[in-house]
């Protein structure tokens, strides 16, 4: 951006954000293999146990956004995400549904909860996402979550492809995704509206695009680390 770069119109700004879709982890070779039914049981276990770490920190990431945000309407809206993942009571919520998927692929709850399978690269990438949310302006942190714009379609395909290709996985085991698909389609649109409304200078718009690019790197690095951890054991 040069100092004289003009403000993007809402349409141009949204298009620039959506233009990052090719960098999204939907095109990562590990996801291609997952969808094609080519992952071994061991690779699926490694994926589920490692993504557990991501699922665990999402509420902390969202709490960091809330703590940095002075706008009551945004805080109110964002609170739902924490409750969505943590549930209203023990044994409920997205985190619990992820655990169900973990047990369906053959992991014990204990080995997921103690994080023994979490690869250093996954921990590093996920922690960087939380640090980003803690240290950057709230609107940039919210923009980094816009990968959800790309997630709905991918999760829909994942449910279909996993049911078709991994005979030991039942539809109920995929409740995490079937539940999340609806949430993501609504949240993705609402998040985009917030970012468009609150990025009022070209510099803020460019920072939001950079934030989404950073998040694509976080997710891509997670899958790189998962693929390499699964190949080692
Ligand atoms: O299964 C997926 O491919 C996928 C991707 C993403 C994403 O793009 O970050 C999220 C989720 N799932 C998801 O379930 C979820 O709750 C979620 C929260 C966030 C976020 O950054 O706050 N991303 C995602």
């Amino acid at each position: 951006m040069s100092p004289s770069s003009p403000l993007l119109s809402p349409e141009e700004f949204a298009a620039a954000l959506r233009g990052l879709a090719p960098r999204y982890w939907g095109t990562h070779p590990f996801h291609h293999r997952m969808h094609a039914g080519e992952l071994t049981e061991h690779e699926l276990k490694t994926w589920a146990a490692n993504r557990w770490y991501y699922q665990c920190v999402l509420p902390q990431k969202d709490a960091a956004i809330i703590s940095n945000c002075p706008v009551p309407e945004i805080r109110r809206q964002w609170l739902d995400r924490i409750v969505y993942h943590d549930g209203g009571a023990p044994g409920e919520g997205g985190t619990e549904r992820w655990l169900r998927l973990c047990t369906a692929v053959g992991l014990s709850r204990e080995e997921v909860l103690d994080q023994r399978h979490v690869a250093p690269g996954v921990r590093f990438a996920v922690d960087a996402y939380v640090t980003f949310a803690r240290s950057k302006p709230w609107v940039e942190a919210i923009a980094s979550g816009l990968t959800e714009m790309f997630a709905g379609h991918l999760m829909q395909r994942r449910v279909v492809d996993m049911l078709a290709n991994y005979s030991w996985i039942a539809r109920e085991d995929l409740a995490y995704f079937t539940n999340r698909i609806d949430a993501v389609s609504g949240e993705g649109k609402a998040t985009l509206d917030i970012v468009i409304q609150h990025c009022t200078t070209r510099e803020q718009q460019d920072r939001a695009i950079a934030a989404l690019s950073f998040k694509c790197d976080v997710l891509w690095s997670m899958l790189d680390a998962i693929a390499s951890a699964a190949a080692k054991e």
Side-chain angles (χ1 to χ4, degrees), residues 47 72 190 197 221:
W47 167 73
Q197 193 192 338
S221 304

Side-chain angles (χ1 to χ4, degrees), residues 24 51 54 61 85 129 147-148 158 176 180 215:
Y24 186 55
R51 213 183 121 158
Y54 181 64
K61 183 270 297 182
H85 285 290
Y129 186 34
T147 44
E148 286 189 3
R158 194 175 296 141
Y176 180 84
R180 191 74 199 140
K215 172 68 176 305

Side-chain angles (χ1 to χ4, degrees), residues 24-26 31 47 51 54-55 58 61-62 65 78 81 84-85 98 129 141-142 144-152 154-155 158 176-177 180 184 187 215 219:
Y24 186 55
W25 68 357
H31 270 156
W47 167 73
R51 213 183 121 158
Y54 181 64
Q55 300 303 136
L58 284 174
K61 183 270 297 182
D62 289 320
I65 291 175
W78 220 253
R81 291 171 179 255
Y84 179 91
H85 285 290
W98 192 268
Y129 186 34
I142 284 187
S144 69
L146 277 173
T147 44
E148 286 189 3
M149 288 192 303
F150 313 131
L154 177 65
M155 288 194 262
R158 194 175 296 141
Y176 180 84
F177 293 121
R180 191 74 199 140
V184 160
E187 284 176 6
K215 172 68 176 305
L219 296 178

